Amino acid sequence: MIVSKRNHLRLAAVTTLGLLSLGLAGSAMAATPATHSASAARPAVTQAAAAHATVTAKPSVSSVQAWQLFRVTGTTTGLKAGSTVTLQQKQHGRWVTLPASVPTTRTGSYSLGVKLGLKGLNELRIISGDTVSPVFTVTVR
């Protein structure tokens, strides 16, 4: 019984000290500017670039017949040339990825041929990774 109490106290003390040192290390890292080392600056630059990435999207028409081809064009900023952009459609309150994608050009532009069969007002958007365009609509008659 004494041995288990002693081990229990040791474990509690070690856990407390470990949490304290982890908390202090986390505070010190948060207070340290990212520019002190090159390795620390890279994640900050990557996150900053991802935060500023944008995608625009514009359909060539506002209304089409079912399965009639139309184009969605746009530009991207903050993404690598050749990044894939993909069309999504809102179906029953959820965004569904459609089998329509294309790589961007070296200047960040794209042009995507689209055919829709779901009649009515279709809410659409273009995505590339975590970057999402504003929602646009096309009515299918």
Side-chain angles (χ1 to χ4, degrees):
M1 182 93 174
I2 294 173
V3 173
S4 65
K5 277 187 180 180
R6 189 174 289 167
N7 283 342
H8 179 70
L9 289 174
R10 280 185 187 156
L11 182 60
V14 168
T15 302
T16 303
L17 289 174
L19 289 174
L20 281 173
S21 64
L22 183 62
L24 290 175
S27 300
M29 289 176 63
T32 304
T35 57
H36 280 121
S37 72
S39 62
R42 285 187 192 125
V45 170
T46 304
Q47 290 172 353
H52 297 296
T54 62
V55 177
T56 65
K58 183 178 179 185
S60 60
V61 295
S62 59
S63 180
V64 294
Q65 295 291 329
W67 304 112
Q68 179 184 344
L69 180 67
F70 67 96
R71 299 204 82 65
V72 176
T73 58
T75 58
T76 64
T77 58
L79 298 176
K80 289 182 182 177
S83 295
T84 300
V85 293
T86 304
L87 181 69
Q88 286 189 331
Q89 179 183 46
K90 198 164 200 178
Q91 296 177 4
H92 307 291
R94 291 183 40 212
W95 287 105
V96 176
T97 301
L98 299 180
S101 62
V102 67
T104 60
T105 65
R106 64 181 177 82
T107 61
S109 64
Y110 68 91
S111 180
L112 179 65
V114 179
K115 291 182 181 182
L116 297 174
L118 190 62
K119 292 190 177 188
L121 185 67
N122 285 268
E123 290 183 279
L124 305 164
R125 69 183 186 180
I126 297 291
I127 65 162
S128 181
D130 293 335
T131 307
V132 182
S133 76
V135 174
F136 60 95
T137 59
V138 173
T139 302
V140 177
R141 304 183 298 273

